């Protein structure tokens, strides 16, 4: 869902190249973490103070871009939005992190809607809707599986993947 929303945002042609490259790199690293590839860096282990400092830097870049760069609040906010996407995708550890990622993806897609009037966005909208329905369905099934676990406490909050099949994917779409 985040990949579709970020791709729609990139399709507008408004984000700077550094955000495009950085955003896709972050999504690739996050995908690698989900597949448990051995990476030298584990971004989820960075202290919260580091993430807060990086957020402050992204906010300062947004303010500087608004006043001295694009002079457009919507376009300047791309820095914070892409940073929030990077933060959340690189630190996914619990099931409760996914709704936050859904909201960030929705905001990216909403910003793409405002930044473009081209016809290609209709196709992106259909792809986003199908992906959103599927992602929200999987999230709901994961929550149901966690609630029905016989284990109580902190183990219940841990991320649990739902086994997927090709038939399940096409039936839900």
């Amino acid at each position: 869902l985040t990949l579709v929303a970020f791709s729609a945002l990139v399709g507008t042609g408004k984000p700077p190249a550094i955000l495009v490259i950085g955003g896709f790199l972050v999504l690739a690293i996050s995908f690698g973490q989900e597949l448990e590839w051995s990476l030298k860096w584990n971004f989820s282990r960075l202290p919260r103070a580091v993430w807060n400092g990086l957020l402050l830097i992204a906010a300062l870049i947004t303010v500087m871009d608004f006043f001295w760069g694009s002079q457009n609040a919507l376009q300047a906010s791309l820095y914070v939005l892409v940073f929030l996407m990077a933060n959340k995708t690189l630190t996914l550890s619990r099931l409760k992190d996914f709704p936050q990622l859904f909201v960030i993806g929705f905001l990216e897609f909403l910003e793409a809607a405002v930044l473009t009037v081209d016809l290609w966005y209709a196709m992106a909208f259909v792809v986003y809707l199908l992906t959103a329905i599927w992602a929200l369905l999987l999230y709901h099934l994961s929550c149901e599986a966690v609630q029905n676990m016989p284990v109580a406490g902190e183990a219940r909050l841990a991320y649990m993947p739902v086994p997927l099949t090709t038939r399940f994917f096409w039936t839900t779409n």
Side-chain angles (χ1 to χ4, degrees), residues 122-134:
M123 179 60 128
F125 182 71
V126 170
V127 171
Y128 181 80
L129 282 180
L130 290 174
T131 308
I133 290 168
W134 193 62

Side-chain angles (χ1 to χ4, degrees), residues 58-77 79:
L60 289 173
I61 291 171
T62 296
V63 170
M64 290 184 338
D65 186 40
F66 176 70
F67 286 117
W68 298 289
S70 66
Q71 297 180 347
N72 181 347
L74 191 62
Q75 197 167 343
S77 68
Y79 294 100

Side-chain angles (χ1 to χ4, degrees), residues 149-164:
M149 283 180 59
V151 179
E154 191 69 25
R156 185 177 269 203
L157 298 175
Y159 170 70
M160 281 185 41
V162 176
L164 301 176

Side-chain angles (χ1 to χ4, degrees), residues 46-127:
L46 286 176
R48 179 169 275 176
V50 171
W51 287 111
N52 289 340
L54 291 173
L55 177 60
L56 184 62
I57 291 169
L60 289 173
I61 291 171
T62 296
V63 170
M64 290 184 338
D65 186 40
F66 176 70
F67 286 117
W68 298 289
S70 66
Q71 297 180 347
N72 181 347
L74 191 62
Q75 197 167 343
S77 68
L78 289 172
Y79 294 100
V80 170
L81 196 56
V82 171
F83 172 76
L84 289 174
M85 177 194 74
N87 181 354
K88 196 44 71 177
T89 56
L90 292 175
T91 60
L92 283 175
S93 61
R94 295 173 172 254
L95 196 57
K96 70 178 187 174
D97 290 338
F98 286 94
Q100 297 167 359
L101 192 58
F102 295 155
V103 169
I104 292 168
F106 176 71
L107 290 174
E108 287 176 341
F109 198 73
L110 193 61
E111 189 159 351
V114 173
L115 291 174
T116 189
V117 293
D118 296 334
L119 189 57
W120 66 266
Y121 187 76
M123 179 60 128
F125 182 71
V126 170
V127 171

Side-chain angles (χ1 to χ4, degrees), residues 35-51:
L35 295 177
E36 297 178 359
W37 291 343
S38 60
L39 299 171
K40 291 183 180 181
W41 288 88
N42 188 356
F43 294 97
S44 62
R45 293 187 183 170
L46 286 176
R48 179 169 275 176
V50 171
W51 287 111

